[in-house]
């Protein structure tokens, strides 16, 4: 079997997402599709899966042109897709999620659950997969959810598997197990399309690699015919400036201290958390998203109640203070979800540059705002952080992700507060902005700020952090200090959840 | 006490419960399908008017119920056109539908029947009531559920059908999925918009029947703004029960109970305004209690 | 490709045509149903919305416009902050009653009495709005249903008060005594238009200043667009919520006061509910897509439809509720252009893990 995409072009309003692109996928091959965020990987695959019908070009199945009118057609042709954001309903059982859209039903339309159950159990046995079908999806780990998605495809008898960033949510160990399953599928002569931005994975598992940049195909070749370095260059397209890392002396003063903190809800049974950050230090919290990092940050910021323990900021107990109190005392925060938590995106640009400091004499007089000085200040930030924006009066919505993030970073860092909490600062933005933001973080550290950096990108922790802990299921590992084996040490802590918990208990 | 708890009190519970229940069932499937339909008030009102219209001109309660359903479906189609196709905000559409139904029913009342305020006429045939001989001997059941309109028994059957339908029927599964995340349904090859459209039609049907129960089951008349807040009580009930039919049923029985109680204590000399207020106060109280309990379980601080 | 582009350019025109055509058909149908004389109806509509002897009807349109615009501003203030306060009706009624009640007590004080009455109307309206705010912030009741359900106590309690303890029994209606002429709002010279519209204009200007030139306006707009951003930024969310709702309720109270002091000179049961002022105000605020600048236009537009329809009823025996129907349909046709108003629209609330 062979699938070809011919001369595919996709236009969104005034943006060309895919530009005249042709590709071929062969059976028994793991085909890696790589490129940075916004390169067009997902857009391309949504065409193949029938989710996007607004394109020009052809899809060929064994050299015969086919047309989709909905994903249903694609599924019937044996195409299955695991989306980056799982297409699962938490409140439903595993079984209900698997059969969705392909229910065996009686004449009245009622579902024959018993029959389906035996069918799927046979399937699980065949592929040697362990799964409790009546469990609610919400109770599953991320890796198990991933497996439900895969079973869904198997149940639908998919011959082409499109996997969009499947390992983003997996620990290194889980990734290994996942890849083993993929190799089994390869033996079964399935076509596997792996969308990823991790080059190490491409090198370790794929047979064929295609690189996309700005909607264009840069190169498509057998893995053997290219090298890691070449791929890296092709993804980025230009050389990035090297980060300017200055040595900073870490002062003894602890800026933030978290003592035996127990987080509320999901992680209430985890080990209490102890943390500290000194002046001039970046503490990285590594780990896959959803292991309690967000809850920890929210607790430190005061938007989440804690069960017990204390949070001290500059030797002051702030455990029961309001968010407002803490922020005014000098905590900056750069959230992961900039569109919801970092900005009011429908407001104008200049309306997003001031938060708690609006009462400063510089920006207001009595109850009135000084629009001119706020706008001047906004211009100052825009120049300093080279933010691209049409107009101060246009809404933030019109900016690109990278520029939005720069706006948040600019606002939060210009306060020059002693503590800065940063959560996945480079999530979903272009490489240029990533380097820029990394440099700004290092600069503010050099000025003596204490920084808590939560990131699920190992690279980011490795480049920026002075020391790191790993977070898993609400537990925090011992502190890993920066040395030659920094990365390896973090990765080994991330290796296995079970192993990890044992470590802590022992 | 006997003044309050006389036979009329017991038989009025079912009568007063039915319209709210039917509308709330319609609202609950919308809720499950992720459509925030708070326009139930308007749906009921137009249904009530159309029922009187149909029953009067055809001299048949069946035709009355049928026209009431058409009234509900008419509003459903409007809702679908502006919400599903033109992507309008459901709250705004609901508000518009409430106002539309109020205006339209009053306008038609005045222009077709040439009366304002109330229209009643002996030719409005009422929905037949059913006697169940089996329970005649059990006094309390006889009082409570015997000699009620067909729609009452129908609404109880619908509660249980809906319960099983949502749980075990494939369309029910799709409704639950579309409410949680339409993208999931789309990626499984099912058009979420189509599901939502069918759900809206079903809601219109049920609300139409609710209106019919209100206007032509016992009284056989139409009063301007006849729904008088019942739709809003249904909306609150739906919200409180998360659209689950069985708890919804129980909660609405409570509201119906209070409703008939307030009707009875009017005879005790309490001012009418205060007794009429009672159902809303109970509704608000339940809403506050449930919301507060939920708030306590939240570990995130919202405000 | 070419035809597609032409279609894209023409799309807005087609949309507008479609809307007008539908509304036209609807009006035609409605008029047909009431056996109206079309030209008479049309004449009645135009004449009574903007004409009349000595422009009497135009002034009555202005008078309605004041009330509708006022309620639109009240709704808009709250909506802009992301607070779906649809309890304007309750706030209006409570404000109106408080004003009438106070007015009876202070009728000897003339101008000062007017001020006191309006202020008490404001306070009552604000209190009613704050009550729903309290339920939302401290009890977790969604503001949408909480504010709405509070309409009913407002309506029934004032109805009780004017039917029993404070009733002008001789008038035969459930209403308070007539206020003394001392504290009626004065009329513009040689007209029957009271000064209420000036008060609303004053409110309008104040709100424009609050929206675009104050710290509260700056923060509340952002809160309307993202509550979690404002909360995480360390802004005083509770204070913003309460201030916004108090302002919204106070404006509703002012509108109620104007209706009492300027138009009816007493509080009659249902006089503020029946004409759907609060709902029309909400619709008007939505029609201008929450842009305060255009509220007077929307207010005039809807008021003209109202008085026009009343004229149609007088002259061509077309029930005046046609106005209500037309307003609802207009808002339906613009709703698709508005986008999602609040995060409340999703039927599932904020969920915890």
């Amino acid at each position: 079997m062979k699938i070809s995409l011919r001369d595919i072009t996709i236009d969104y309003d005034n943006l060309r997402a895919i530009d005249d692109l042709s590709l071929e996928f062969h059976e028994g091959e793991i085909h890696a599709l790589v490129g940075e965020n916004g390169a067009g990987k997902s857009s391309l695959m949504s065409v193949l899966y029938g989710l996007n019908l607004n394109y020009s070009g052809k899809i060929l199945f064994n050299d015969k042109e086919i047309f989709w009118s909905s994903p249903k057609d694609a599924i019937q042709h044996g195409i299955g897709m695991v989306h980056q954001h799982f297409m699962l309903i938490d409140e439903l059982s595993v079984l209900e999620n698997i059969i969705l859209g392909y229910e065996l039903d009686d004449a009245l339309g009622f579902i024959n659950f018993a029959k389906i159950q035996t069918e799927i159990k046979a399937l699980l046995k065949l592929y040697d997969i362990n799964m409790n079908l009546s469990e609610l999806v919400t109770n599953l780990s991320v890796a198990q959810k991933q497996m439900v998605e895969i079973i869904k495809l198997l149940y639908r008898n998919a011959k082409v598997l499109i996997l969009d960033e499947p390992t983003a949510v997996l620990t290194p160990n889980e990734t290994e197990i996942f890849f083993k399953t993929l190799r089994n599928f390869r033996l079964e002569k399935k076509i596997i399309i792996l969308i990823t931005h991790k080059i190490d994975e491409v090198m370790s598992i794929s047979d064929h690699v295609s690189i996309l940049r700005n909607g264009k195909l840069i190169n498509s070749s057998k893995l053997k015919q290219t090298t890691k370095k070449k791929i890296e260059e092709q993804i980025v397209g230009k050389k990035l400036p090297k980060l300017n890392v200055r040595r900073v002396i870490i002062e003894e003063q602890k800026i933030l201290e978290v003592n035996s903190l127990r987080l509320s809800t999901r992680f209430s049974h985890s080990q209490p958390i102890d943390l500290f950050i000194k002046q001039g230090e970046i503490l990285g919290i590594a780990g896959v998203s959803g292991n309690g990092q967000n809850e920890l940050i929210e607790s430190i910021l005061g938007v989440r109640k804690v069960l017990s323990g204390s949070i001290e900021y500059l030797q002051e107990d702030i455990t029961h203070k309001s968010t407002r109190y803490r922020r005014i005392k000098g905590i900056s925060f750069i959230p992961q979800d900039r569109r919801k938590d970092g900005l009011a995106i429908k407001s104008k640009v200049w309306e997003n540059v001031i938060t708690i400091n609006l009462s400063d004499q510089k920006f207001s007089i009595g109850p009135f705002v000084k629009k001119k000085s706020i706008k001047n200040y906004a211009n100052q930030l825009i120049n300093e952080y080279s933010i691209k924006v049409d107009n101060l009066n246009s809404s933030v919505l019109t900016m690109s992700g990278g520029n939005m993030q720069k706006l948040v970073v600019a606002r939060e860092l210009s306060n020059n507060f002693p503590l800065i909490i940063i959560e996945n600062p480079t999530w979903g933005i272009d490489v240029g902005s990533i380097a820029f933001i990394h440099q700004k973080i290092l600069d503010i550290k050099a000025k003596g700020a204490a920084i808590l950096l939560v990131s699920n990108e190992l690279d980011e922790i490795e480049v920026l952090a002075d020391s790191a802990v790993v977070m898993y299921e609400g537990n925090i590992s011992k502190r890993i200090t920066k040395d030659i084996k920094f990365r390896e040490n973090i990765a080994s802590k991330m290796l296995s959840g079970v192993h990890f918990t044992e470590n802590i208990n022992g | 006490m006997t003044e309050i708890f006389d036979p009329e009190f017991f038989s009025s519970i079912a009568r007063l419960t039915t319209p709210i229940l039917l509308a709330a069932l319609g609202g609950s499937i919308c809720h499950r399908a992720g459509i925030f339909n708070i326009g139930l008030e308007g749906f009921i009102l137009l249904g009530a008017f159309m029922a009187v219209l149909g029953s009067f001109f055809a001299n048949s309660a069946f035709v009355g119920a049928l026209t009431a359903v058409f009234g509900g479906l008419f509003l459903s189609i409007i809702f679908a056109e502006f919400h599903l196709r033109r992507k309008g905000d459901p709250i705004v559409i609901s508000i518009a539908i409430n106002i539309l139904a109020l205006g339209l029913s009053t306008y038609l009342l005045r222009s077709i029947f040439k009366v304002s305020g109330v229209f009643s006429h002996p030719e409005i045939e009422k929905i037949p009531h059913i006697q169940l001989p089996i329970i005649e001997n059990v006094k309390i059941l006889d009082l409570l559920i015997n000699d009620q309109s067909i729609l009452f028994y129908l609404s109880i059957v619908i509660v249980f059908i809906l319960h099983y339908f949502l749980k075990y029927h494939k369309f029910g599964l799709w409704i639950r999925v579309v409410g949680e995340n339409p993208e999931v349904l789309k990626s499984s090859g099912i058009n979420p918009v189509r599901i939502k459209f069918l759900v809206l039609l079903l809601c219109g049907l049920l609300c139409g029947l609710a209106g019919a129960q209100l206007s032509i089951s016992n009284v056989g008349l139409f009063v301007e703004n006849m729904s008088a807040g019942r739709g809003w009580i249904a909306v609150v009930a739906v919200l409180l029960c998360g659209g689950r039919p069985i708890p919804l049923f129980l909660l609405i029985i409570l509201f119906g109970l209070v409703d008939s109680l307030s009707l009875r204590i009017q005879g005790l000399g309490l001012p009418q305004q205060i007794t009429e207020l009672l159902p809303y106060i109970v509704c608000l109280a339940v809403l506050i209690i449930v919301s507060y309990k939920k708030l306590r379980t939240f570990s995130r601080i919202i405000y | 490709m070419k035809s597609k582009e032409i279609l894209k350019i023409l799309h807005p025109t087609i949309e507008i045509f479609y809307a007008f055509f539908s509304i036209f058909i609807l009006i035609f149908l409605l008029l047909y149903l009431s056996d109206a004389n079309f030209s008479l109806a049309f004449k009645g509509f135009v004449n009574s919305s903007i004409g009349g002897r000595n422009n009497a009807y135009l002034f009555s349109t202005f008078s309605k416009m004041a009330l509708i615009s006022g309620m639109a501003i009240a709704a808009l203030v709250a909506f802009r902050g992301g607070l779906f306060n649809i309890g304007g009706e309750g706030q209006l009624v409570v404000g109106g009653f408080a004003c009438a009640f106070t007015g009876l007590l202070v009728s000897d004080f003339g101008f000062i009495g007017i001020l006191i009455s309006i202020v008490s109307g404001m306070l009552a309206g604000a209190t009613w709005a704050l009550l729903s705010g309290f339920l939302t912030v401290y009890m977790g009741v969604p503001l949408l249903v909480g504010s709405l359900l509070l309409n009913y106590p407002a309506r029934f309690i004032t109805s009780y008060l004017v039917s029993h303890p404070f009733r002008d029994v001789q008038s035969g209606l459930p209403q308070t005594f007539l206020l003394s002429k001392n504290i009626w709002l004065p009329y513009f010279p040689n007209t029957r238009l009271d000064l209420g519209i000036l008060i609303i204009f004053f409110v309008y200007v104040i709100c424009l200043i609050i929206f675009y030139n104050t710290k509260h306006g700056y923060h509340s707009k952002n809160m309307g667009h993202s509550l979690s951003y404002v909360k995480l930024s360390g802004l005083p969310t509770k204070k913003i919520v309460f201030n916004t709702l108090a302002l919204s309720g106070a404006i509703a109270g002012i509108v109620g006061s104007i209706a009492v002091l300027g138009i009816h000179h007493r509080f009659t049961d249902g006089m503020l509910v029946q004409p759907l002022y609060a709902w029309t105000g909400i619709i008007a605020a939505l029609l201008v897509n929450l842009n305060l600048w255009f509220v007077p236009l929307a207010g005039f537009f809807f008021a003209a439809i109202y008085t026009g329809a009343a004229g149609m009823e007088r002259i061509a025996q077309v029930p005046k509720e046609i106005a209500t129907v037309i307003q609802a349909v207009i808002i339906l046709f613009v709703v698709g252009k508005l986008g999602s108003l609040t995060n409340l629209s999703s039927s599932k609330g904020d969920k915890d893990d």
Side-chain angles (χ1 to χ4, degrees), chain C residues 27 31 36-53 57 304-305 307-318:
Chain C
I27 294 173
L31 291 180
N37 178 329
F38 279 53
S39 70
L40 206 59
F42 181 73
K43 228 185 259 166
F45 184 90
V46 174
N47 192 31
S48 350
S49 54
I50 49 178
R53 195 194 305 161
Y57 292 138
I305 293 180
T307 46
M312 251 160 64
E313 181 166 284
R314 267 195 314 277
I315 295 169
Q317 284 76 48
V318 177

Side-chain angles (χ1 to χ4, degrees), chain A residues 49 51 70-72 75 83 87-89 91-92 96 99-103 105 108-111 113 152 156 264-265 298 302-305, chain B residues 161 164-171 173-174 176-178 180-190 295-302:
Chain A
Y49 188 58
L51 275 170
S70 85
K72 191 142 202 146
I75 294 167
H83 300 261
M87 288 295 180
L88 298 173
I89 305 288
E91 284 74 13
L92 299 188
E96 285 172 321
I99 62 170
L100 185 63
Y102 293 85
E103 303 87 352
D105 51 358
L108 284 172
F110 283 91
I111 303 169
F113 279 108
K152 208 155 110 180
R156 291 175 189 174
S264 51
T265 59
E298 287 185 342
V303 290
R304 180 174 284 275
K305 299 168 200 157
Chain B
I161 290 183
Y164 284 99
F165 177 76
L166 284 171
K167 222 168 175 177
Y168 300 115
H169 196 275
K170 69 174 178 186
F171 190 66
L173 178 67
W174 297 347
R176 285 185 286 152
V177 172
V178 83
E180 296 289 343
N181 186 352
E183 289 302 310
V184 173
L185 205 60
K186 200 172 168 192
S187 88
S188 291
I190 300 157
L295 184 72
R296 290 279 296 273
T297 64
F298 277 15
S299 49
R300 254 200 77 134
I301 300 159
I302 298 165

Side-chain angles (χ1 to χ4, degrees), chain C residues 8-344:
Chain C
K8 213 172 165 183
I9 296 164
L10 280 179
H11 188 69
T13 325
I14 295 171
E15 283 278 286
I16 292 169
F17 184 76
Y18 173 54
F20 272 96
F21 185 71
S22 313
I23 293 172
F24 181 75
I25 292 283
L26 179 84
I27 294 173
F28 180 83
L29 266 176
L30 290 176
L31 291 180
Y32 179 78
L33 270 172
S34 60
D35 296 326
N37 178 329
F38 279 53
S39 70
L40 206 59
F42 181 73
K43 228 185 259 166
F45 184 90
V46 174
N47 192 31
S48 350
S49 54
I50 49 178
R53 195 194 305 161
N54 296 332
N55 290 327
Y57 292 138
L58 181 64
F59 288 133
S60 110
T61 299
F62 278 137
S63 171
K64 272 250 184 318
M65 168 190 169
L67 303 184
I68 293 174
S69 306
M71 289 315 291
I73 296 170
L76 206 150
V77 164
F79 292 180
R80 186 177 185 261
L83 300 166
F84 228 115
N85 169 21
I86 56 170
E89 186 179 291
Q91 293 142 28
L92 171 73
V93 168
V94 169
F97 176 80
C99 173
F101 181 73
T102 321
L104 287 170
L105 297 177
V106 298
S107 54
D108 297 335
F109 298 116
F111 178 70
I112 304 288
I114 293 179
L115 274 186
I116 295 175
S117 309
I118 293 181
V119 167
S120 70
M122 281 170 72
L123 285 178
T127 309
W128 211 250
L130 283 175
L131 194 56
S132 57
F134 172 82
L135 292 181
T136 302
V137 171
Y138 293 108
M139 296 285 161
V141 176
L143 184 65
L144 184 82
V145 277
S147 62
L148 182 108
L149 279 181
L150 281 175
N151 282 347
Y152 293 93
R155 197 193 284 177
F156 286 118
I157 292 172
T158 54
S159 168
Y160 166 74
L161 292 174
V162 298
S163 318
H164 295 281
F166 303 114
R167 180 173 185 172
D168 176 6
V169 181
Q170 301 209 312
S171 73
L173 286 169
Q175 57 190 9
T176 61
F177 289 99
L178 197 65
L179 292 173
S180 123
K181 279 203 175 174
N182 283 335
I183 63 163
W184 289 14
L185 281 182
Y187 294 108
F188 283 98
N190 303 323
T191 65
R192 295 286 288 164
L193 178 65
D194 61 84
L195 290 182
I197 196 163
L198 269 189
I199 298 178
I200 293 298
F201 184 73
F202 180 67
V203 168
Y204 170 66
V205 173
I206 295 282
C207 282
L208 279 174
I209 293 171
I210 291 178
F211 275 23
Y212 301 112
N213 291 294
T214 66
K215 293 194 278 188
H216 174 79
Y218 188 94
H219 289 323
S220 75
K221 179 181 178 187
N222 283 342
M223 190 171 81
H225 289 152
S226 176
L227 173 63
S228 79
Y229 157 62
V230 169
K231 172 73 188 165
L232 282 164
S233 298
L235 295 168
T237 37
K238 279 185 194 129
K239 193 172 131 194
I240 302 173
V241 168
F242 289 131
N243 282 347
T244 307
L245 285 176
L247 182 63
S248 169
I251 295 170
I254 292 177
V255 177
S257 307
I258 289 171
V260 167
L261 299 178
I263 303 170
H264 302 275
H265 306 124
R266 61 170 20 142
F267 184 90
T268 310
D269 186 22
M271 78 178 193
L272 297 171
V273 176
Q274 221 99 76
L276 297 179
Y277 291 131
W279 292 105
T280 311
I282 289 175
I283 290 191
L286 294 170
L287 181 70
V288 294
N289 203 4
L290 303 191
N291 186 336
L292 184 56
W293 287 101
F294 298 123
V295 163
L297 276 181
F300 180 79
F301 179 55
F302 281 154
I305 293 180
Y306 255 126
T307 46
M312 251 160 64
E313 181 166 284
R314 267 195 314 277
I315 295 169
Q317 284 76 48
V318 177
K320 64 175 186 299
E321 278 70 23
I322 196 169
T324 317
V325 177
I326 292 171
Q327 285 170 356
V329 175
I330 288 173
I331 204 66
L332 282 174
F333 275 102
V334 297
V335 67
K337 302 277 163 280
L338 300 180
S340 183
L341 272 164
T342 56
N343 13 21
L344 263 171

Side-chain angles (χ1 to χ4, degrees), chain B residues 13-292:
Chain B
I13 295 173
R15 171 165 59 85
L16 294 168
T17 304
T18 311
I20 306 182
L21 180 60
L22 281 167
L25 286 170
S28 74
I29 36 172
C30 282
H31 182 91
R32 293 301 283 267
I35 306 167
F36 199 49
N37 181 356
I38 56 167
L40 300 180
E41 179 85 0
F43 277 88
I44 301 177
L45 184 58
L46 195 65
F49 175 78
M50 292 298 285
V52 164
L53 186 79
S55 179
F56 174 74
F57 281 112
N59 209 347
S60 144
F62 177 73
V63 173
L66 208 64
T67 46
V69 167
F70 278 133
L73 293 180
F74 169 68
L75 291 182
S76 290
I77 290 169
I78 290 181
F79 203 116
E81 158 76 8
F82 291 99
H83 176 48
L84 301 179
R85 211 170 69 82
R86 295 163 150 256
K87 308 277 181 258
D89 186 280
I91 296 179
V92 180
I93 294 170
S94 298
I95 292 175
I97 284 208
N98 282 340
I99 296 176
L100 176 68
L102 181 58
L104 204 58
S105 61
T106 314
Y107 181 89
L108 294 177
L109 177 73
R110 292 187 185 175
S111 59
I112 295 177
F113 297 120
K114 311 285 180 208
V115 293
S116 65
V118 187
F119 175 70
S120 75
H121 197 282
E123 277 180 34
I124 300 174
E125 202 201 54
K126 292 184 206 161
I127 291 173
H129 286 214
I130 294 182
Q131 292 284 352
L132 298 172
I134 328 159
I135 55 169
E136 253 168 27
N137 297 324
V138 191
K139 181 123 193 288
I140 184 73
L141 283 182
D142 184 43
L143 279 175
L144 275 174
I145 60 170
N146 219 350
D147 192 25
Q148 296 291 346
S149 89
I150 296 177
L151 289 178
F152 165 70
Y153 305 101
L154 186 67
S155 68
I156 301 225
V157 174
I158 293 175
V159 169
F160 293 98
I161 290 183
L162 199 61
H163 174 78
Y164 284 99
F165 177 76
L166 284 171
K167 222 168 175 177
Y168 300 115
H169 196 275
K170 69 174 178 186
F171 190 66
L173 178 67
W174 297 347
I175 290 176
R176 285 185 286 152
V177 172
V178 83
E180 296 289 343
N181 186 352
E183 289 302 310
V184 173
L185 205 60
K186 200 172 168 192
S187 88
S188 291
I190 300 157
N191 186 353
V193 174
R194 196 168 298 167
I195 304 295
K196 287 190 174 187
F197 181 57
L198 290 172
V199 163
L200 274 172
L201 288 182
L202 208 54
C203 172
L205 185 145
L206 289 169
C207 289
L209 290 178
Q213 164 75 14
L214 199 61
S215 63
I216 60 168
S217 103
N218 279 64
V219 284
L221 57 81
F222 179 79
V223 188
E224 278 177 27
N225 199 6
M226 190 175 199
S227 46
R230 285 182 181 81
W232 287 107
I233 290 187
V235 167
V236 174
V238 169
L239 280 181
L240 289 176
C241 300
R244 286 166 301 158
I246 306 275
L248 187 77
F249 176 51
L250 299 174
L251 184 64
I252 284 175
I253 287 181
L254 171 73
F255 288 157
L257 203 70
V258 176
D259 221 354
S260 36
L261 195 68
S262 77
L263 217 61
R264 300 310 300 160
I265 56 177
Q266 247 176 60
L268 295 181
L270 271 170
Q272 180 204 358
Q273 289 92 350
I274 302 304
T275 58
E276 273 179 22
L277 180 56
L278 196 61
Y280 300 98
I281 295 294
V282 171
C283 185
L284 194 59
V286 175
L287 179 66
I288 291 172
I289 293 167
V290 174
S291 306
Y292 186 60

Side-chain angles (χ1 to χ4, degrees), chain A residues 91 265-266 295 301 303-304 323-324 327 333 340-344 346-347 350-356 358-359 364 366-369 371 411, chain C residues 1 4 8 80 209 212-216 218-219 221-223 225-236 239 339-341 351-353:
Chain A
E91 284 74 13
T265 59
R266 199 147 64 87
E295 284 79 358
L301 284 169
V303 290
R304 180 174 284 275
T323 305
R324 178 168 176 71
R327 292 280 255 154
F333 174 48
K340 181 167 145 279
D341 298 334
L343 297 161
K346 284 186 187 165
S347 292
W350 69 272
E351 289 170 329
N352 269 286
V353 295
I354 309 279
T355 54
I356 39 174
L358 186 57
S359 296
S364 65
F368 300 106
V369 292
K371 271 194 217 177
R411 186 188 65 217
Chain C
M1 211 53 202
K4 241 186 186 172
K8 213 172 165 183
R80 186 177 185 261
I209 293 171
Y212 301 112
N213 291 294
T214 66
K215 293 194 278 188
H216 174 79
Y218 188 94
H219 289 323
K221 179 181 178 187
N222 283 342
M223 190 171 81
H225 289 152
S226 176
L227 173 63
S228 79
Y229 157 62
V230 169
K231 172 73 188 165
L232 282 164
S233 298
L235 295 168
K239 193 172 131 194
S340 183
L341 272 164
K351 247 179 289 178
D352 216 33
D353 2 273

